[in-house]
Amino acid sequence: MIEMQVGLLTLLKEFDAICRKHDITYYLEGGSLLGAVRHKGFLPWDDDVDLGIPREAYERLLTQISQHLPQNLELRTYQDETDHHYYFARIVDTRYQIRRMGSLEERLENLWVDLFPLDGMPNGAVSRAWHQLRLSWVRLKFHLSCFEKVNIKRPGRPLAERMVIKLAQWTKMGSWLNTRKQLDQLDVLLKKYPLETSDWVINFMGQTSFKFNELFPKAVYGKKTLYPFEDMNLVGPEQYDVYLKSLYGDYMTPPKEADRNAHASELVPVKKGEF
């Protein structure tokens, strides 16, 4: 992981410089925030960077960033002509590849930083619960539409969800669903409640979002708070303890070794001697 993280840190610094120049706020999310709090940088086994961006800034970033990226970096979204099938965007470094072995089909992807939109949710409890159901239904259809790429080995995935994915892989039950159509529906739903007028914020497509434990009162994000991350200082949610306990429980205790490589991945340099 050391070689992989050297490349990731370089990628992160290039992205950070662009965001600072264009006044784009982002937050450390998921395992990246956990790494900052527990290790002052990467989790020793981590192979990516997770960042959350408030929706308005996220949309602005997607329309503007490509023209500012150096030659080795590319923006990937589900609307482009690549095989990027995720709802959230990525900045990738095309000089490196990651072999992903956690899904039905082994595949290669470029070294990446995940960019998750942070969205609002309804303020009323009943409306919020109904919206969660609608989001979950569309996400299930999305997963069924590309079941061969779903990471069945992801630690913490509920048994019921693993069983549905396994059944889908066996029966090809979602082959009639169009992935792009499901993501378009998800896009409409997630933009329905503006973050600016909501008391709640969600990273709906985060690592543990199927449990809705990445849904928080906006006060959890609060004031921009800096955390040491390797040789950088990066913004994360102010109430990091509330955030990390929701995602990981006893987050200061490292997981079992078998649960540490969430993506079941390894680095594959594009060219021999790349490092």
Side-chain angles (χ1 to χ4, degrees):
M1 287 297 173
I2 293 177
E3 292 178 329
M4 190 182 299
Q5 290 170 357
V6 169
L8 277 172
L9 189 60
T10 300
L11 171 53
L12 179 58
K13 287 180 177 179
E14 291 178 297
F15 176 75
D16 177 73
I18 294 171
C19 288
R20 290 177 184 273
K21 181 177 180 180
H22 297 279
D23 195 29
I24 299 290
T25 296
Y26 66 84
Y27 295 86
L28 291 170
E29 296 278 310
S32 296
L33 180 63
L34 175 58
V37 171
R38 196 168 71 199
H39 301 274
K40 312 300 181 187
F42 288 105
L43 295 172
W45 52 86
D46 212 357
D47 61 359
D48 70 348
V49 177
D50 301 319
L51 304 177
I53 307 175
R55 174 62 73 170
E56 184 277 329
Y58 179 85
E59 295 295 328
R60 184 157 47 92
L61 182 74
L62 296 192
T63 61
Q64 298 177 2
I65 193 172
S66 291
Q67 59 187 311
H68 303 292
L69 293 174
Q71 186 174 7
N72 58 293
L73 301 186
E74 293 180 3
L75 172 69
R76 297 279 169 80
T77 72
Y78 82 86
Q79 295 101 335
D80 63 28
E81 300 303 317
T82 68
D83 60 355
H84 182 86
H85 68 284
Y86 306 98
Y87 174 71
F88 52 87
R90 278 180 172 171
I91 299 294
V92 305
D93 190 331
T94 58
R95 295 174 298 179
Y96 308 108
Q97 290 181 326
I98 305 292
R99 179 177 287 115
R100 300 287 298 275
M101 298 171 287
S103 51
L104 188 64
E105 293 183 357
E106 183 178 304
R107 64 187 187 276
L108 292 175
E109 296 182 355
N110 294 115
L111 195 69
W112 74 85
V113 169
D114 284 333
L115 308 178
F116 296 99
L118 299 177
D119 289 298
M121 291 286 282
N123 291 330
V126 174
S127 297
R128 193 162 56 252
W130 173 243
H131 195 54
Q132 288 177 224
L133 284 174
R134 296 176 69 192
L135 288 169
S136 296
W137 171 240
V138 177
R139 179 174 55 196
L140 174 60
K141 291 194 297 176
F142 156 65
H143 280 154
L144 291 177
S145 76
C146 56
F147 61 86
E148 73 281 356
K149 297 179 180 179
V150 175
N151 184 4
I152 190 67
K153 297 180 181 179
R154 180 180 295 283
R157 190 180 291 281
L159 176 61
E161 191 164 323
R162 295 201 306 270
M163 291 176 64
V164 169
I165 295 170
K166 278 288 190 181
L167 180 63
Q169 292 174 345
W170 182 57
T171 63
K172 301 184 184 297
M173 69 167 68
S175 58
W176 56 275
L177 291 167
N178 181 277
T179 299
R180 174 67 182 269
K181 182 178 180 180
Q182 307 313 313
L183 291 177
D184 283 341
Q185 291 180 6
L186 189 61
D187 189 58
V188 171
L189 283 176
L190 286 172
K191 293 176 181 177
K192 185 175 178 64
Y193 298 94
L195 184 58
E196 294 74 20
T197 57
S198 176
D199 297 332
W200 295 81
V201 57
I202 189 170
N203 173 12
F204 181 66
M205 296 302 285
Q207 177 177 337
T208 61
S209 62
F210 44 81
K211 302 176 183 178
F212 281 94
N213 55 3
E214 294 190 50
L215 169 63
F216 298 100
K218 282 170 69 173
V220 170
Y221 278 77
K223 295 183 295 185
K224 297 176 184 177
T225 304
L226 291 175
Y227 297 89
F229 192 91
E230 302 299 336
D231 58 351
M232 306 173 71
N233 287 295
L234 301 177
V235 171
E238 181 181 12
Q239 297 181 25
Y240 72 88
D241 185 63
V242 174
Y243 178 98
L244 292 175
K245 281 181 178 176
S246 179
L247 269 67
Y248 304 109
D250 178 16
Y251 61 86
M252 292 304 289
T253 300
K256 298 177 182 178
E257 189 168 348
D259 292 336
R260 294 183 179 184
N261 189 353
H263 297 119
S265 61
E266 63 182 16
L267 182 67
V268 182
V270 175
K271 296 179 181 179
K272 186 175 180 181
E274 190 72 52
F275 295 106

